Amino acid sequence: MTIRVAAVQMCSGVNPEKNAAYMARLVRDAASRGAVYVQTPEMTGMLQRDRKAAREVLRGEADDVIVTTARRLAKELGITLHVGSTAIARDDGKIANRAFIFAPDGSQVCTYDKIHMFDVDLDNGESWRESSAYEPGDTAKVADLGFGRVGMAICYDVRFPQLFRSEAVAGAEILTVPAAFTRQTGEAHWEILLRARAIENGAFLIAAAQAGLHEDGRETYGNSMIIDPWGKILARAGDAGEEVLIADIDLDAVPAARRKVPNLKNAREFVLEDVPGQKAGGVAA
């Protein structure tokens, strides 16, 4: 079965209403080109480093402008719309980095809260503590979208292969990594991580990314990609600014790849043995 998919690359600002209109314009473009599944990046609704300013405009699901706009767009355009994520105010006063999938009738298929928090200290003084603002999720999701089964993840999740393996074992044919990768980590790791997740699971992978210099001063890597189960890059965006990637994917390529290299079936349980080391001179420790 062949379907047309799209990855929408954005450079989101600090105003959710403006970002909702921005998203709508690009999603309409993708739909006009025949895409039946469209994915937007992580933090589609707002990239804002000022925590106080961000909290002032946060809303719950029912009132969030990205959620309401995406639901309306999906129904109007008759597409499956995957909002890579947006910041959502939870009922307990915490914040979720939450993804949404809407069906062509506008109904909400499912949500996914980012599991792994980006708490890192990089070179040149770049440091991030996502856990200081967001509450991590604890549930992986595989959604049956009619045309195929889609595994959900967000950005930093890509560094945890066990998440993607569990989704593939559960039948995911398409893996997703909407992201706002930093330029520093993107240049070093983005492509190799995406291709590895596709190859090791014999699945398509769609990764819509944020790209360029944002209003809050951060810079993201872009390079949104659509990758096939053999690791071939079918479509790739540049490293700055908006772009709409389109690719036709044949889901029959998934079982074909898994027959050629059946590592999902060949995986075995094992015991890890911690072998004592040696002291200098060859004497056992």
Side-chain angles (χ1 to χ4, degrees):
M1 177 181 182
T2 299
I3 61 168
R4 179 161 291 186
V5 301
V8 171
Q9 181 162 290
M10 298 175 64
C11 184
S12 294
V14 300
N15 185 298
E17 285 74 20
K18 289 182 179 179
N19 291 327
Y22 181 18
M23 172 188 73
R25 176 170 58 82
L26 297 178
V27 169
R28 290 181 190 281
D29 181 11
S32 73
R33 294 160 63 185
V36 298
Y37 165 92
V38 181
Q39 180 191 123
T40 71
E42 179 184 27
M43 287 296 148
T44 291
M46 176 176 57
L47 279 173
Q48 172 61 280
R49 299 182 75 167
D50 184 328
R51 300 282 171 79
K52 182 179 179 181
R55 285 184 176 274
E56 289 176 354
V57 298
L58 283 180
R59 299 289 182 269
E61 278 190 27
D63 301 313
D64 182 81
V65 66
I66 294 296
V67 174
T68 56
T69 300
R71 180 181 289 112
R72 185 181 70 249
L73 279 171
K75 184 175 182 179
E76 174 193 338
L77 300 172
I79 61 170
T80 298
L81 181 51
H82 180 174
V83 175
S85 87
T86 197
I88 294 293
R90 298 178 8 152
D91 292 338
D92 59 6
K94 298 177 181 179
I95 306 171
N97 186 345
R98 183 168 294 168
F100 296 82
I101 296 181
F102 296 98
D105 64 0
S107 62
Q108 184 171 298
V109 177
C110 69
T111 65
Y112 166 77
D113 288 359
K114 186 176 181 179
I115 293 174
H116 301 97
M117 298 288 96
F118 190 53
D119 292 354
V120 302
D121 296 296
L122 305 175
D123 293 341
N124 304 316
E126 185 177 353
S127 182
W128 299 90
R129 289 293 179 273
E130 190 173 18
S131 64
S132 68
Y134 295 91
E135 185 72 9
D138 59 9
T139 305
K141 298 283 184 74
V142 175
D144 189 339
L145 301 183
F147 57 77
R149 292 175 60 80
V150 172
M152 302 179 75
I154 299 171
C155 200
Y156 189 51
D157 284 334
V158 76
R159 295 181 183 272
F160 299 87
Q162 65 273 24
L163 172 62
F164 297 83
R165 176 51 55 92
S166 68
E167 294 177 347
V169 169
E173 300 154 289
I174 301 171
L175 303 173
T176 62
V177 191
F181 244 64
T182 68
R183 175 162 291 279
Q184 184 174 172
T185 56
E187 289 176 344
H189 302 145
W190 175 243
E191 178 184 331
I192 196 168
L193 287 169
L194 294 181
R195 295 180 70 192
R197 298 296 86 85
I199 293 166
E200 67 199 8
N201 293 297
F204 285 97
L205 188 143
I206 304 173
Q210 295 281 355
L213 183 62
H214 299 264
E215 285 182 312
D216 71 345
R218 83 181 73 196
E219 188 175 11
T220 52
Y221 182 61
N223 285 271
S224 300
M225 294 188 208
I226 301 172
I227 302 170
D228 80 4
W230 208 245
K232 179 181 178 181
I233 299 173
L234 303 178
R236 180 173 189 158
D239 63 359
E242 67 181 56
E243 201 163 337
V244 176
L245 295 186
I246 300 286
D248 293 323
I249 64 173
D250 181 0
L251 293 179
D252 289 339
V254 174
R258 291 173 178 175
R259 284 193 300 269
K260 292 174 185 175
V261 183
N263 58 319
L264 297 181
K265 291 183 178 180
N266 290 346
R268 300 184 63 218
E269 297 294 327
F270 54 85
V271 174
L272 175 63
E273 180 181 355
D274 190 352
V275 180
Q278 298 285 317
K279 290 183 177 179
V283 181

